[in-house]
Amino acid sequence: MDSSISISDLYRQNGGLCKWSPDSQHLANVTQFRLLLRDSRTLQIVQLYTCLDVINQIEWSSDSKYVLCGLFKRGLVQVWSLENPDWTCKIDEGAAGVVHARWSPDGRHILTTADFNLRVTIWSLVNRSVSCIKFPKFSSKGLSFSNNGQYMALAERRECKDSVGIYACDTWQMVKNFGTDTQDLADLSWSPDDRYIAVWDTTLVYTLLVYTPDGHCVHRFRAYENALGIKSVAWSPSSRFLAIGSYDQKVRIINNQSWKVLGSEYLHRPTARVPPVVVFVEHQVEQAPHSAIDLASPALPPRSRYELGELPLAVRDVRPDPDKPNPKLGVGLSQWSPDNRFLMTKNDNMPHALWLWDTQRLALSVLIVQHMPIRAARWDPTRTRLALCTGNSKVYFWSEVGCSSVDIPPSASANFKVTNIEWNADGNSLLLMDKERFCVCYPDMPEH
C-alpha cells in the first residue's frame, strides 16, 4: 500500500530526552547541559537554556508553559519558562538528593522523590510553599493522578505493609489511607473515569485488586497460582475494560460492569490458525544499483513490502535464558486504541510479532509479523492508526486500510536506526529517535 511522508533533517539529542508539549506546539530536546525548545512545525529553536549539569530528565507542565529538568547528579531540578526566558527556578533537595521529578496536574507544583525513597516533596511555583509526604514505596512509579486533577494516589510502605494514600492536590493533605491485600505491591493506576484504582502485586504472585478511592475493594482477580504473574496492565480510554498481560503469554480483558473476563483468555500462540485473522508479513527485497554512480556508493538498504500471510502461520518464538533474571517472556506491552476497539499486545518471547485484538469480535483481528524484532509501537492519539519501529532506517504504519513501510531517505538516514517513536498529541507528526539523534516525520496515510 502506498503512503507519503515528509521527514525533517536530523538533530542531536542525548538519552532519548525528546518530549512533545501537551498542546502539540513545541518539542523539547536535550544535548548534554542544554535544553532546546523548538517549534513543532518548523523545528526552529525558539528558546535555548543552559543548565548547571548534565540533564537526566525533562517534563512539560500540563499547560505547556514550563519545562522541568532533572539534574540528579547534583540533586537539583531546574525549571524554565517558554514565554519568559528571564524567569528561572532551581529546586535543591540538599543532602537528601533527587532521583525523580514530575509535575502535578495543575502545572504549578513539582513533586520530587528523594534518594532511597525517603520522601516525596511538593514544591509550589505560586507561593514557594513546600510540603512533604513520607513513606513512598517507589521513586518513578506507584503514583497516579485522577483524570480530573483533584487527587493523587501514592503507593506507600508503612511498617513493612503496603498501603495506598489518597491526597488532595489543592492542599496536599491525606484524605484517605488504606492497606492493600498484596505481598509486595508492584504498581497502581487510576482509571480514566476516576472511579477505580487498580493495584497489582509483584511478578511472583498473580494478584490484581480494584479499589474505589475510599478504599473499598470491589474486585480481586487471580488467574492462576504458583507461577510468574502480571507483566502489564492497561485501562481502556473509556475505563470500560482493563487489560492484564501476564507471563503465561495470555492477555485477559476484564469489564468494569461484572468484573468478569471478557470472552476467553487470549493466548499468543506460536502458530496463528483461526480465521478471519488478517496476517501482514514483512518481506525485505535487496535494491539493485541503478547506475555506475550507485555502484560506487554504499549499498542501498533493502526495501520492505508487506504480503498477506496464509494460515496456519508460524510465529518465531525465542526461548528465554533461564539463567538470566527478568526473562523475556510474556505480554510486556498492552496498549488500547483511542476508540477503545483494539488492544495491541506484544509477547516478549515473540519479538517479531504485534497482535491486535478486536473487542467487538472478542478475537484476534490482525497479526503483524516483522523481519526484525519490534523495538517500539504507539497508537496515534487521534485515530485508529499504529506506528512501529524495528531498529532500522524505516518506520511502519498500520490502519484499517492496511500496512505500509516507509524508508527514511538515505541522505537523511546515514546510520540512523529508529529505536523509539512518539506521536504528537494532535496526531500530525511522529518523533523518531535513535541513540544520539532524532527527526520528525509527517505521515499522510489514507483512511476509511
Side-chain angles (χ1 to χ4, degrees), residues 37-101:
L37 305 183
R38 301 175 182 271
D39 183 278
S40 64
R41 295 180 297 276
T42 65
L43 298 183
Q44 295 296 311
I45 297 174
V46 295
Q47 299 287 0
L48 187 150
Y49 297 107
T50 302
C51 292
L52 298 173
D53 206 332
V54 174
I55 302 170
N56 307 112
Q57 179 192 350
I58 59 172
E59 185 175 321
W60 285 92
S61 61
S62 57
D63 59 4
S64 303
K65 292 184 178 180
Y66 299 94
V67 182
L68 68 77
C69 298
L71 286 61
F72 300 145
K73 289 183 180 179
R74 290 204 180 195
L76 298 176
V77 174
Q78 288 188 264
V79 188
W80 306 100
S81 169
L82 174 65
E83 299 175 345
N84 183 5
D86 297 325
W87 183 90
T88 61
C89 174
K90 183 175 71 173
I91 296 172
D92 189 346
E93 271 277 18
V98 177
V99 294
H100 191 265

Side-chain angles (χ1 to χ4, degrees), residues 164 229 306 340 401:
V164 173
Y306 280 102
N340 299 279
V401 174

Side-chain angles (χ1 to χ4, degrees), residues 140-182:
S140 60
K141 62 178 185 176
L143 188 154
S144 183
F145 290 102
S146 60
N147 197 49
N148 61 17
Q150 295 181 6
Y151 297 98
M152 176 183 76
L154 178 66
E156 300 176 347
R157 188 76 171 174
R158 297 170 181 265
E159 298 178 355
C160 300
K161 294 182 179 179
D162 291 330
S163 64
V164 173
I166 307 296
Y167 296 84
C169 292
D170 54 351
T171 63
W172 301 107
Q173 297 298 309
M174 180 188 292
V175 294
K176 184 70 177 180
N177 183 277
F178 55 89
T180 59
D181 190 14
T182 52

Side-chain angles (χ1 to χ4, degrees), residues 211-240:
Y211 292 92
T212 58
D214 64 0
H216 175 64
C217 184
V218 296
H219 185 64
R220 177 190 178 96
F221 183 70
R222 177 173 288 178
Y224 54 82
E225 297 181 359
N226 303 320
L228 292 177
I230 296 172
K231 194 166 190 181
S232 62
V233 176
W235 287 100
S236 66
S238 67
S239 301
R240 184 180 177 187

Side-chain angles (χ1 to χ4, degrees), residues 1 280 306 368 386 397-404 445-446 448:
M1 184 185 66
F280 294 99
Y306 280 102
I368 303 172
L386 185 67
F397 296 94
W398 173 87
S399 75
E400 293 181 84
V401 174
C403 270
S404 69
M445 191 171 179
H448 277 309

Side-chain angles (χ1 to χ4, degrees), residues 347-361:
N347 190 19
D348 290 345
N349 54 298
M350 299 177 187
H352 297 263
L354 210 59
W355 312 67
L356 303 183
W357 308 87
D358 189 338
T359 57
Q360 294 181 2
R361 292 177 39 225

Side-chain angles (χ1 to χ4, degrees), residues 255-427:
N255 74 82
N256 71 352
Q257 301 299 315
S258 64
W259 299 110
K260 301 295 184 181
V261 174
L262 190 68
S264 60
E265 298 176 342
Y266 303 120
L267 175 63
H268 297 68
R269 301 179 185 277
T271 303
R273 299 179 180 275
V274 182
V277 178
V278 179
V279 181
F280 294 99
V281 181
E282 180 197 8
H283 293 277
Q284 294 198 347
V285 181
E286 297 294 333
Q287 298 188 68
H290 298 292
S291 65
I293 297 177
D294 291 335
L295 286 170
S297 61
L300 295 173
R303 295 191 66 84
S304 293
R305 71 169 188 268
Y306 280 102
E307 296 180 357
L308 292 177
E310 295 184 358
L311 298 177
L313 181 93
V315 180
R316 276 181 280 184
D317 192 352
V318 178
R319 185 180 296 275
D321 188 344
D323 296 327
K324 292 183 179 181
N326 302 316
K328 292 185 177 181
L329 172 71
V331 183
L333 174 66
S334 302
Q335 283 185 20
W336 289 92
S337 62
D339 62 357
N340 299 279
R341 179 177 176 183
F342 294 101
L343 174 67
M344 170 189 68
T345 60
K346 178 171 169 279
N347 190 19
D348 290 345
N349 54 298
M350 299 177 187
H352 297 263
L354 210 59
W355 312 67
L356 303 183
W357 308 87
D358 189 338
T359 57
Q360 294 181 2
R361 292 177 39 225
L362 302 181
L364 179 65
S365 177
V366 177
L367 177 62
I368 303 172
V369 181
Q370 296 294 127
H371 180 74
M372 296 173 62
I374 297 166
R375 302 292 294 271
R378 303 282 187 272
W379 285 107
D380 182 330
T382 63
R383 68 193 85 174
T384 307
R385 176 169 61 175
L386 185 67
L388 60 133
C389 64
T390 61
N392 55 16
S393 58
K394 307 174 192 292
V395 61
Y396 304 88
F397 296 94
W398 173 87
S399 75
E400 293 181 84
V401 174
C403 270
S404 69
S405 68
V406 179
D407 292 278
I408 299 174
S411 59
S413 66
N415 298 318
F416 182 74
K417 309 298 183 185
V418 186
T419 57
N420 198 12
I421 56 178
E422 197 68 47
W423 285 100
N424 201 348
D426 61 9

